[in-house]
Structure formats: C-alpha cells, structure tokens
Amino acid sequence: MSDYRIVSFEAVAEAVADLCGKAACDLPPDVLDRLRQMEARETSELGRDFFAQYLENARIAREERMPLCQDTGFAVCFVELGDRVRFDRGTVYEAISEGVARGYREHFLRKSIVNDPLFDRKNTQDNTPPVIHLELVPGEKLHITLAPKGGGSENMSAIRMLKPSDGRQGVVDFAVETLRKAGGNPCPPTVVGMGIGGTFEKAAFLAKKALLRKIGEPNPDPRYAELEAEILEKINATGVGPQGLGGSVTSLAVHIEFFPCHIASLPVAINVNCHAARHAEVEL
C-alpha cells in the first residue's frame, strides 16, 4: 500500500460536513459580483428592490451563519478521485454520505430527502443519500464540490431529444420556452445550465455540471460562447424578471457544456438554478 496515498475516512466526512454549512450560508463571490452587475441592468424598480434583498439576505446568512434559503437542498457532490488514492476504511461514497448526515445535523439544515420517490415518501431524517458524481483522475488528488440543489428550481428543469435537423434554432427555442414557462417558480433571476449532446443521461449530467462554472464565464469554444450569449439575451427579453414579477433580468447567466453524440440524436438538457447558486469545494 506504500505506493498509494491513504486518506482518512474521518477527514473526508468532516470536510464534507463543513462544506454543508459553507454551501448553505456563504454565497460564492462570483455569484455576489454577478448579482451586483445585473442589479445595475435591471430596469424595473421592483426588480431592483429584489436584487437589494438578495444581497442583504446573503449578508445576513454569511454573518449570522443562517441558511440562504429554507430549502437547503439535495446534496449533490462532484468528486475528482485520484487513481492512487485509497481510504483507511470504507469507500468515498460512504465517507461523503456520513459527512452529509453530520453536516445537515450539526448546522441545523432542513432535511428534505424521502426514502422512496413514489410510495413511502418517508423522510430519511439526515438528508442522505447524497447524489455523487465520481470522476477518476490520475494521481493523488481528492477534490469535492458540494452543490445543494433546491426542489423549486430542480422541478423547472427539462430535457428534450431534439432531431439533428432542429439545429441551433431548436436549442435556442427550447431554452427560451423552458424559462418562460418556469416563470417565478425557480426564484429568478436564474442560472441556466445546459447540456448538449451525449445521450439522454449524459446531457442531464452536463447541464448540472455546467452550473459549477464561474458564473458568467463563457464557454472556451467561441461558438458555444456566442450561443450562451444569445440564449441569455432572449431569456431576459421574455420579461419574466426577478421573482417572476416582471423586469429585464430573468437569468444571470447561461452555461453550456457539450459532448459528442449519435448521428441520429441531438439531446438537450436544461438544469435551472435559482439566483442563490450555492456551492462549496475542498481539496484533501
């Protein structure tokens, strides 16, 4: 085992528990900066008032260590695990699950997970199990990003298996239609993650992962960066506005991730996030 880096189960659990509190109470700096930028662009007086409330809410949450929102979300974790990492006991899944249970208990966060989606629907009492997306990478790295996902915004997400002939315009129309129909349900202004390509499930994963990008940072491919800008402009032109009560800022950003796909397919998934784009990360 000397050829491997040994990571403590306890260290992972404690780190994840800490992330639960940070993600719930500390809005990331890039999100705060974007809120301030878009507040200046909002033409509605009521909309600007909402922006002021978002920023004040973030201040109170940070200073008083209170959750940004009563819906403290489904614990979604993105993990990069080095192929030379081993644990002193258990698995990375078990360590993260233990950390989520501790974190939601110790930080007094609302437990929102039910054990069965259709029949029992009994609260698991500790917000587990988390959703864990695991990526194996070379080396000794262990990087964990926790992105709590609230039910209101998640429920407004959508996927559509477009035809290749639908092309760019089909993608734009689907995105604008989805956000227009969402209205005030996801607590706009939203952050819109889009996954284009792959398969049904890959597109949805990409849409979720796109939300982790620094807010407003364009896709490195100029074609997709241009598409992000066009979709954002058209979503904001819908007039849905902050909290769905009208205005010029319905979304803060559109982030697209893409992947090769089958010649017969054009999968497009949209994962909607509210203005409180919560996430926290740690490297162990």
Side-chain angles (χ1 to χ4, degrees):
M1 295 293 289
S2 59
D3 290 338
Y4 298 104
R5 177 189 172 216
I6 306 301
V7 174
S8 162
F9 179 102
E10 183 65 20
V12 175
E14 280 301 302
V16 171
D18 185 56
L19 287 182
C20 292
K22 288 180 178 177
C25 301
D26 297 319
L27 205 56
D30 60 309
V31 181
L32 289 169
D33 289 344
R34 190 65 165 182
L35 285 170
R36 295 186 186 102
Q37 292 169 11
M38 300 304 272
E39 179 183 23
R41 301 184 192 180
E42 178 53 62
T43 56
S44 160
E45 183 177 348
L46 179 60
R48 288 194 299 273
D49 183 61
F50 279 128
F51 272 101
Q53 291 182 55
Y54 301 150
L55 292 166
E56 176 66 3
N57 180 70
R59 182 192 66 78
I60 293 171
R62 181 179 64 253
E63 294 179 1
E64 299 190 16
R65 309 315 297 165
M66 298 176 65
L68 287 149
C69 177
Q70 64 174 346
D71 185 350
T72 51
F74 208 127
V76 180
C77 297
F78 292 81
V79 182
E80 293 178 81
L81 177 65
D83 60 1
R84 297 180 61 77
V85 174
R86 298 293 183 271
F87 296 88
D88 61 355
R89 64 182 176 91
T91 68
V92 67
Y93 294 99
E94 292 169 329
I96 290 174
S97 187
E98 171 64 22
V100 168
R102 288 186 198 177
Y104 274 72
R105 181 177 63 250
E106 293 170 0
H107 296 283
F108 303 100
L109 306 180
R110 194 183 82 181
K111 289 81 174 174
S112 304
I113 307 306
V114 294
N115 67 321
D116 180 277
L118 186 60
F119 297 107
D120 298 334
R121 290 193 71 85
K122 293 179 181 178
N123 198 297
T124 64
Q125 300 298 322
D126 59 7
N127 221 66
T128 67
V131 167
I132 300 173
H133 300 291
L134 183 63
E135 180 183 0
L136 190 65
V137 298
E140 300 182 348
K141 179 179 186 178
L142 176 55
H143 188 276
I144 302 171
T145 301
L146 173 66
K149 196 62 167 62
S153 60
E154 189 76 355
N155 289 348
M156 295 299 104
S157 301
I159 189 165
R160 186 169 293 175
M161 304 302 287
L162 297 177
K163 301 184 296 292
S165 59
D166 290 324
R168 178 189 174 114
Q169 192 59 49
V171 173
V172 173
D173 291 345
F174 173 47
V176 176
E177 170 195 339
T178 299
L179 272 297
R180 180 188 286 113
K181 286 183 176 178
N185 290 305
C187 293
T190 54
V191 181
V192 182
M194 295 185 65
I196 302 177
T199 53
F200 180 88
E201 80 283 3
K202 182 68 172 182
F205 166 75
L206 291 172
K208 180 81 73 180
K209 188 177 181 180
L211 294 174
L212 299 183
R213 192 194 309 165
K214 184 177 180 181
I215 193 166
E217 182 179 87
N219 191 291
D221 186 316
R223 302 167 302 171
Y224 284 93
E226 183 182 355
L227 182 58
E228 290 171 338
E230 178 184 345
I231 292 173
L232 179 61
E233 181 181 359
K234 290 186 174 179
I235 289 173
N236 285 336
T238 62
V240 170
Q243 297 303 126
L245 296 176
S248 53
V249 181
T250 300
S251 291
L252 301 173
V254 173
H255 294 167
I256 296 173
E257 296 293 325
F258 62 96
F259 196 82
C261 69
H262 192 281
I263 57 172
S265 301
L266 179 55
V268 182
I270 296 174
N271 198 223
V272 182
N273 209 359
C274 69
H275 63 275
R278 300 169 292 183
H279 55 273
E281 57 188 308
V282 66
E283 188 152 333
L284 292 153

